[in-house]
Amino acid sequence: MSTPVAYFLLLSSILFAIGTIGVLVRKNALIIFMSVELQLNAVNLSLVAFSRMHNSLDGQVLAFFSMVVAAAEVVVGLAIIVSVYRRIRSVNVDDAEALRG
Amino acid sequence: MSVLALAPIGAPTSALSVLWLIPALPLAGAAINLLAGKRLGRLAGSLATALVASAFILSIVVVRDLVAVDAGSRLYVRHLFEWIHVGAFSVGADLRLDTLSAVMILVVTGIGSLIHLYAIGYMHGDPRYGRFFAYLNLFVFFMLLLVLGQNLLLLYVGWEGVGLCSYLLIGFWFDKTENANAAKKAFVTTRIGDTAMLIGLALLVVRFGTLDFTAIFGSAGGTLTKGAATTIALLLFAGAVGKSAQVPLHVWLPDAMAGPTPVSALIHAATMVTAGVYLVLRMHVIFESSGVALTVVAITGLVTMLFAGTCAFGQDDIKRVLAYSTVSQLGYMFMAAGMRAYSIALFMLVAHAFYKALMFLGAGSVMHGMHEETDMKRMGGLIRRMPVSGITFIIGALALSGIFPLSGFFAKDQILEVANSTGRPWMYVLGTAGALLSALYMGRLVFLTFFGRPRSEQAERARESSPVMTVPLVVLAIGAAVAGLLDTSTNGLISRLVEPVLGAVPEGAAGIAKPVLVAISLTAAVVGLFVTWVVYASGTIDWLALRVRMQPAQRVLEHGWYVDNYYSALLVTPGKAVAAWSAYVFDTRVLDGVVDGIGAAIRALARSGRRVQTGLVRTYALAFLAGAICLLVYAGFRL
């Protein structure tokens, strides 16, 4: 008998929580970015786990889909970070505050 | 109601079908002179005159065709195009020619072309010569539209159009502030009446669903209650009171003399101010359904006639005498209309158009010879210096005073005759008093201006005007002298002509016998003229000393019983105070306060709202998370 789904979901939750905390507490844009990736992959893990549980490929397809989107998002996100760095000479998100009301 | 019997003439005969050209010609003249008046130079006046004169000739041809058929079918309606169409309500641009409008177009174009001709000489050398004739032509167009309109809305367009032209022409020399003010006063005062009239039109639309004359006359007797008829008639009459300068809206006409004299003759004597009389005549069916309204018309006319007659006696400015005299004569016309003697009112209108236009033009000629002097105290003896102007003027004055056999005699005498038979003797007595008054002020005007010694250097050196000005005077003088033949009795030419439209003059109770009436009114006229001759021209009385002794009375009359002062104290000053209060207090504090307050509140809200935008990405991310959690919790509860 294989590993119960609950374990995967537990791991997924832990990874997602770590990612969330990372996004919220870190100041370095690159680290925040990595944390976002962690969240995405935590969700991918849960998708694949559910896919196995239901014996259907839908979850896996969706996981692939989200990977592709994540790859595209990385491209755009990194480009933004680079151009923000060129402008304010910092990757600290607290320094990018031009939109403060 | 004889109006019902009128059916439109079937086959449009050749001349009638060009009816639309009559108003179109002056309109074309106005357009040309407005666009190219400067380039035309001296031609502008000739062009304008030629167009109005051709309209006059065309009118004669058209009217001849109209009266060629038998009396019962003298009505021609021409549908030009559909103008307004809203639901069941529609207004067409339709022209109506019946015997009433026939008389009116002949007067407007006939007197109009003579005055145009005169204006060529009078306005010679004016820097805005072309513009003047453009306005004058435009006026003739609107006046023709007013009298030819087949529905009240078209009439109203003409009504407001002539008001506009009156405004433009009174203020023609607008570089002088008092002229501009006079124009404004005329416009605003007549607007009061016009607004009431517009409400009357709206009520007519509510009652009849149409403004078409034929439709209204056809059903007026049946569908109108007495109260509704009275309301509508009085509202329409308010418009007439404003336009025809009747008490209490008469104040604009004496000031309107600020305009060039041909304008005073054409607009403020012969045509526009008679539009009110025309309106009452045209809508007499409504007035008759009311009954009360007719009494109001008659009494307004009577009061105006006496009031303005006294004012005319106190004026020193030659044009202001004529202005008050016009108001007084219009009062006579309304008095006649109020006594159901519609055809006599129309006859008086025609006769008055002749002699009053004549006298205004004569006064203009005198002013021309006197270098724009209008004060009669500085005139005197002018008959020797200006014989043509003088003699023609005297013919006009005698006609107005009611001397046999000039036109004014017949008109006034018939009105008094009808007044005598109304069973209201006081109306006859006051009417005769008015006749005496008119002889008095006319006598005073003539003797002060043309007789006695010249009282200034200009008067000694005055010169007769050029033929282009004196020829119209002579023609009008002939008209003023013989126009009486048009309607020598209540069964005269005009009365018979308009009887199908306006009905016959009612036979009243028998009063004093007719020869006695004639004798009384002639005596009144002669006594009036004789008294003024004794005072002002016989040399036996030092009228200047008399004037000083009578100064308080003279002052009151000169200022028109101070009506202007009452109006300014009761209406204008409080009105201005209210305007100032609303402009400088209400507007700045209350209205601006509300507007500024809304702005300030939004800014305060925005200032607190913008604190949310920290600019810190992590705050946003936290809000994001909080939102996501909220959604999750919500979704969890839903399950």
Side-chain angles (χ1 to χ4, degrees):
Chain A
M1 197 55 212
S2 54
T3 327
V5 170
Y7 290 1
F8 293 104
L9 290 186
L10 191 65
L11 177 62
S12 167
S13 311
I14 291 167
L15 285 174
F16 190 83
I18 292 169
T20 307
I21 292 165
V23 169
L24 288 180
V25 303
R26 298 306 295 262
K27 291 184 179 175
N28 190 314
L30 288 167
I31 305 289
I32 291 175
F33 217 64
M34 286 157 67
S35 306
V36 171
E37 290 302 317
L38 201 56
Q39 285 176 301
L40 280 169
N41 283 314
V43 174
N44 283 347
L45 179 59
S46 66
L47 283 172
V48 174
F50 281 127
S51 171
R52 240 186 81 159
M53 184 180 108
H54 290 294
N55 241 344
S56 138
L57 278 177
D58 291 358
Q60 296 192 31
V61 171
L62 194 54
F64 270 116
F65 198 69
S66 104
M67 278 176 191
V68 172
V69 173
E73 178 236 323
V74 166
V75 173
V76 177
L78 282 176
I80 291 174
I81 290 171
V82 168
S83 54
V84 166
Y85 178 78
R86 279 188 186 153
R87 194 171 173 81
I88 62 172
R89 291 278 144 204
S90 157
V91 288
N92 185 340
V93 289
D94 287 0
D95 290 341
E97 44 147 36
L99 282 180
R100 190 171 69 197
Chain B
M1 216 161 299
S2 48
V3 182
L4 302 182
L6 283 180
I9 297 172
T13 39
S14 53
L16 282 171
S17 56
V18 293
L19 178 64
W20 61 274
L21 257 179
I22 296 175
L25 286 173
L27 180 64
I32 294 169
N33 271 335
L34 216 49
L35 295 174
K38 272 231 165 77
R39 232 170 283 170
L40 283 173
R42 299 284 301 146
L43 264 176
S46 318
L47 175 82
T49 310
L51 283 169
V52 177
S54 0
F56 176 52
I57 293 164
L58 208 56
S59 304
I60 294 177
V61 175
V62 165
V63 171
R64 232 187 44 195
D65 266 24
L66 181 78
V67 297
V69 295
D70 61 295
S73 50
R74 284 175 186 162
L75 170 67
Y76 173 71
V77 176
R78 173 72 189 272
H79 177 77
L80 294 180
F81 56 88
E82 184 80 25
W83 178 25
I84 296 172
H85 191 96
V86 187
F89 176 71
S90 78
V91 178
D94 303 344
L95 299 182
R96 173 197 182 92
L97 185 72
D98 56 14
T99 43
L100 173 59
S101 41
V103 172
M104 290 302 291
I105 60 171
L106 287 176
V107 170
V108 172
T109 54
I111 307 269
S113 38
L114 286 174
I115 293 173
H116 272 71
L117 178 66
Y118 173 94
I120 293 178
Y122 191 86
M123 297 305 286
H124 174 77
D126 193 280
R128 292 159 71 240
Y129 185 78
R131 181 58 61 94
F132 177 82
F133 281 99
Y135 290 162
L136 219 52
N137 265 350
L138 190 66
F139 167 79
V140 174
F141 162 71
F142 277 125
M143 193 67 207
L144 289 169
L145 189 66
L146 196 163
V147 297
L148 284 174
Q150 153 70 356
N151 52 59
L152 273 161
L153 204 60
L154 222 51
L155 182 148
Y156 192 74
V157 171
W159 189 272
E160 292 297 346
V162 291
L164 165 73
C165 294
S166 163
Y167 167 82
L168 290 172
L169 286 164
I170 293 171
F172 186 70
W173 292 314
F174 53 77
D175 43 359
K176 267 203 193 154
T177 316
E178 66 253 40
N179 294 358
N181 283 341
K184 205 162 59 186
K185 183 173 172 186
F187 197 76
V188 172
T189 313
T190 48
R191 283 300 313 171
I192 298 170
D194 294 353
T195 308
M197 182 176 161
L198 192 60
I199 299 169
L201 296 197
L203 284 180
L204 276 173
V205 172
V206 171
R207 292 275 163 182
F208 294 97
T210 176
L211 289 171
D212 190 88
F213 285 137
T214 313
I216 291 178
F217 298 158
S219 55
T223 49
L224 272 190
T225 60
K226 221 173 168 58
T230 307
T231 314
I232 292 171
L234 288 181
L235 284 168
L236 293 179
F237 183 56
V241 165
K243 194 60 90 189
S244 295
Q246 298 294 291
V247 170
L249 295 179
H250 65 283
V251 288
W252 66 271
L253 191 58
D255 286 8
M257 296 301 124
T261 305
V263 172
S264 312
L266 179 61
I267 302 186
H268 305 119
T271 54
M272 184 190 84
V273 288
T274 61
V277 181
Y278 170 79
L279 179 70
V280 174
L281 299 186
R282 180 55 90 198
M283 301 307 291
H284 73 279
V285 178
I286 306 272
F287 282 81
E288 278 188 4
S289 329
S290 154
V292 186
L294 276 178
T295 314
V296 174
V297 172
I299 292 188
T300 308
L302 185 67
V303 169
T304 306
M305 185 262 290
L306 289 170
F307 169 84
T310 58
C311 296
F313 192 69
Q315 304 301 315
D316 285 332
D317 183 314
I318 186 167
K319 279 181 79 181
R320 283 178 80 90
V321 179
L322 293 175
Y324 273 116
S325 155
T326 305
V327 175
S328 174
Q329 299 281 305
L330 289 165
Y332 260 120
M333 295 176 210
F334 278 112
M335 193 176 145
M339 298 185 300
R340 301 188 183 205
Y342 308 115
S343 61
I344 300 178
L346 183 66
F347 170 49
M348 175 97 186
L349 189 160
V350 175
H352 176 255
F354 276 110
Y355 57 70
K356 193 50 71 59
L358 163 65
M359 281 192 281
F360 265 114
L361 296 187
S365 174
V366 166
M367 283 160 60
H368 225 60
M370 296 276 297
H371 299 285
E372 305 309 318
E373 179 63 70
T374 60
D375 189 347
M376 294 192 297
K377 291 198 297 294
R378 297 174 58 76
M379 297 179 182
L382 285 176
I383 188 120
R384 277 186 297 278
R385 316 286 319 168
M386 310 178 76
V388 180
S389 304
I391 290 167
T392 52
F393 194 99
I394 290 167
I395 291 173
L398 291 178
L400 193 151
S401 312
I403 297 293
F404 182 82
L406 306 175
S407 57
F409 164 78
F410 293 103
K412 202 167 289 184
D413 200 57
Q414 285 180 50
I415 293 177
L416 293 178
E417 202 181 308
V418 174
N420 178 43
S421 65
T422 49
R424 284 179 272 201
W426 51 272
M427 251 177 133
Y428 169 71
V429 173
L430 292 175
T432 311
L436 177 66
L437 264 177
S438 55
L440 283 172
Y441 64 68
M442 268 302 135
R444 176 172 176 270
L445 169 58
V446 167
F447 291 125
L448 276 182
T449 309
F450 294 105
F451 295 93
R453 289 177 302 102
R455 288 181 295 276
S456 70
E457 212 173 302
Q458 290 111 295
E460 275 162 23
R461 292 206 198 129
R463 279 182 51 220
E464 184 60 281
S465 309
S466 60
V468 73
M469 287 165 73
T470 50
V471 166
L473 289 178
V474 172
V475 176
L476 282 170
I478 295 169
V482 303
L485 298 177
L486 289 173
D487 211 42
T488 46
S489 71
T490 48
N491 198 24
L493 181 66
I494 289 187
S495 290
R496 276 205 317 276
L497 186 66
V498 295
E499 200 191 308
V501 185
L502 297 176
V505 177
E507 295 281 340
I512 313 164
K514 187 167 177 179
V516 185
L517 287 179
V518 173
I520 292 176
S521 61
L522 272 177
T523 315
V526 172
V527 165
L529 293 176
F530 180 73
V531 168
T532 48
W533 175 77
V534 171
V535 174
Y536 293 106
S538 67
T540 52
I541 289 178
D542 184 1
W543 60 270
L544 279 169
L546 187 72
R547 183 190 166 93
V548 173
R549 230 175 321 141
M550 303 289 279
Q551 195 154 39
Q554 191 265 334
R555 279 271 168 80
V556 169
L557 295 185
E558 185 173 3
H559 292 94
W561 298 90
Y562 294 109
V563 172
D564 268 334
N565 301 41
Y566 300 141
Y567 282 177
S568 108
L570 286 174
L571 300 169
V572 181
T573 315
K576 278 186 178 164
V578 170
W581 180 80
S582 57
Y584 301 118
V585 179
F586 186 75
D587 195 70
T588 49
R589 307 251 169 90
V590 180
L591 286 185
D592 284 3
V594 169
V595 175
D596 291 351
I598 291 172
I602 288 172
R603 271 168 65 166
L605 199 68
R607 204 172 300 128
S608 54
R610 63 197 267 197
R611 298 236 179 84
V612 175
Q613 303 291 332
T614 57
L616 295 176
V617 178
R618 293 177 302 147
T619 325
Y620 299 148
L622 190 62
F624 214 86
L625 180 71
I629 289 170
C630 285
L631 279 176
L632 271 177
V633 169
Y634 175 71
F637 276 113
R638 284 277 302 267
L639 288 171

